Amino acid sequence: MSQLISYCFPRSREDQSNPLERRISRGGGESQSRAFTWRRLVSSYWSDWVFIGALWIIYLSISRIPGHRREFSLRELSLQHSYAEDERVPENMLMFITVGLPLIVMLPVASFVARNAWDVHNAVCGLFMSFTMAGVITQAIKLLVGRPRPDLIARCQPPPGQQDSPVYGLSNWKMCTQKDFYVLNDGFKSFPSGHSSLSFAGVGFLALYLAGKMHLWDVYGNRNRAWFALSPLLIGAMVAISRTQDNRHHWQDVLVGSLLGMCVATIAYRTYYPHLAHPTCHLPMLPRVASDDTDDQVDLETGVRLLNDQQGIPRQSEEEEVWRRA
């Protein structure tokens, strides 16, 4: 089992004396490790938690707003698909795929393989950052665009014999007889696909997390591990495809939603982890400046905190600094 874990989750092949993994000294003095403490955790990441909570509130607040309802033609064939009462991926299953599945995979890896308390926090915080950011961006675009879904006419239930306006040749939502306004208003939220963006925001973050732990972007090549690390993306693709099967979205909605979710997942991942080509990409980023770190040297020209390794070599930026449990 230990050999299997070592094969799937290799550490950096570089010298273990790599200063990126060493203890960091304060002002060139005695070295000290970035050990996990609740005080340092709160001091470093309280603003992230507030930001995630605010995004969650915004997402829930705007998800049921009617938004813009674009005019449409009753003769448009792309809007005449049937309305599916039961979706292939309902919202509870989407939440499991987006949040539950990544947590089921990342928490054991961070707790028992990496054995790193900072890694546990960064994985969870990054995942919720990705989910809430993707949700807010997707819903905001939906409200502004107001593109009809492929099943809009079935949702609308126009009166028998209803025709498009003879002047401009289009109809609007006011001629619909649908009594359920949620069903009707939701029919104008096709672009982009929320299921696609949220699923790729979750499983995309998971794929990046596994890719970092497995060092897929090093110079050695890791074909077998790549199949496992990137397999979550297949789940996201299946969720996205199901939206076209349910007549909920056009293919453009699914494509843009998937790309949006993956972009947000990449941004959230890079907030807490180094880039995948970094020699220590399996480690989380260094905790941010805490109240007990005020003695660190500061570059007066750039305002960047200077951190020294045990050999006293100054580092001009902490962006690539990472932390490993001592």
Side-chain angles (χ1 to χ4, degrees):
M1 179 61 69
S2 61
Q3 293 180 350
L4 178 62
I5 294 177
S6 177
Y7 173 77
C8 293
F9 302 101
R11 291 188 180 274
S12 174
R13 288 182 170 88
E14 294 193 359
D15 188 358
Q16 292 299 321
S17 63
N18 189 324
L20 288 174
E21 293 190 14
R22 292 180 179 176
R23 295 185 178 186
I24 300 173
S25 63
R26 300 177 61 183
E30 182 181 358
S31 64
Q32 91 174 23
S33 65
R34 295 285 172 171
F36 178 88
T37 63
W38 289 106
R39 178 183 178 184
R40 181 170 289 128
L41 177 70
V42 174
S43 299
S44 298
Y45 295 108
W46 67 268
S47 59
D48 298 54
W49 304 339
V50 173
F51 182 64
I52 293 172
L55 288 177
W56 184 267
I57 294 175
I58 295 174
Y59 172 69
L60 295 179
S61 301
I62 67 177
S63 59
R64 290 182 176 269
I65 296 179
H68 177 61
R69 287 164 286 201
R70 188 185 298 181
E71 294 179 325
F72 59 94
S73 174
L74 295 173
R75 296 174 295 176
E76 177 61 47
L77 295 179
S78 63
L79 306 181
Q80 297 181 11
H81 294 274
S82 60
Y83 174 68
E85 294 285 349
D86 299 323
E87 300 174 280
R88 287 174 171 81
V89 182
E91 291 188 1
N92 55 352
M93 184 182 298
L94 176 65
M95 287 296 298
F96 173 78
I97 294 174
T98 304
V99 178
L101 181 61
L103 289 178
I104 291 175
V105 177
M106 291 191 302
L107 289 181
V109 172
S111 301
F112 303 110
V113 178
R115 297 191 299 275
N116 189 322
W118 289 111
D119 197 12
V120 175
H121 169 267
N122 286 13
V124 175
C125 196
L127 175 64
F128 280 95
M129 179 77 73
S130 180
F131 173 82
T132 53
M133 286 179 61
V136 170
I137 295 174
T138 301
Q139 290 299 325
I141 297 176
K142 282 177 177 286
L143 297 179
L144 295 175
V145 175
R147 185 183 188 185
R149 295 183 185 269
D151 58 0
L152 175 65
I153 295 179
R155 292 170 179 260
C156 174
Q157 299 178 3
Q162 180 70 33
Q163 299 293 328
D164 292 324
S165 174
V167 179
Y168 300 107
L170 293 175
S171 302
N172 58 50
W173 66 274
K174 296 181 179 180
M175 46 80 64
C176 298
T177 62
Q178 174 65 254
K179 301 301 182 182
D180 191 333
F181 287 100
Y182 173 76
V183 173
L184 177 60
N185 293 329
D186 189 61
F188 292 91
K189 296 182 179 181
S190 184
F191 183 88
S193 170
H195 276 59
S196 301
S197 64
L198 291 178
S199 61
F200 272 93
V203 299
F205 187 91
L206 173 60
L208 293 171
Y209 179 84
L210 294 177
K213 289 293 184 287
M214 296 181 175
H215 284 267
L216 295 187
W217 266 252
D218 60 19
V219 297
Y220 298 93
N222 306 283
R223 180 185 61 187
N224 296 332
R225 291 198 295 268
W227 283 105
F228 177 73
L230 302 180
S231 60
L233 299 181
L234 178 60
I235 301 176
M238 295 175 63
V239 172
I241 293 173
S242 72
R243 303 306 289 168
T244 62
Q245 295 175 316
D246 292 336
N247 300 325
R248 288 293 197 270
H249 292 284
H250 309 275
W251 69 267
Q252 300 95 331
D253 311 331
V254 170
L255 177 60
V256 174
S258 301
L259 294 176
L260 172 61
M262 197 66 209
C263 290
V264 171
T266 303
I267 294 173
Y269 179 80
R270 287 290 287 113
T271 303
Y272 300 99
Y273 292 91
H275 60 82
L276 297 179
H278 196 277
T280 52
C281 60
H282 59 285
L283 304 176
M285 298 287 284
L286 182 75
R288 297 166 189 161
V289 180
S291 59
D292 57 351
D293 292 333
T294 55
D295 294 334
D296 288 340
Q297 298 179 2
V298 177
D299 188 339
L300 298 180
E301 295 183 0
T302 63
V304 176
R305 187 161 53 110
L306 298 179
L307 301 176
N308 299 333
D309 62 13
Q310 288 179 332
Q311 295 178 347
I313 302 175
R315 299 203 170 277
Q316 298 302 317
S317 173
E318 67 172 2
E319 196 275 339
E320 296 296 346
E321 294 286 350
V322 291
W323 177 90
R324 181 167 66 90
R325 188 174 184 179

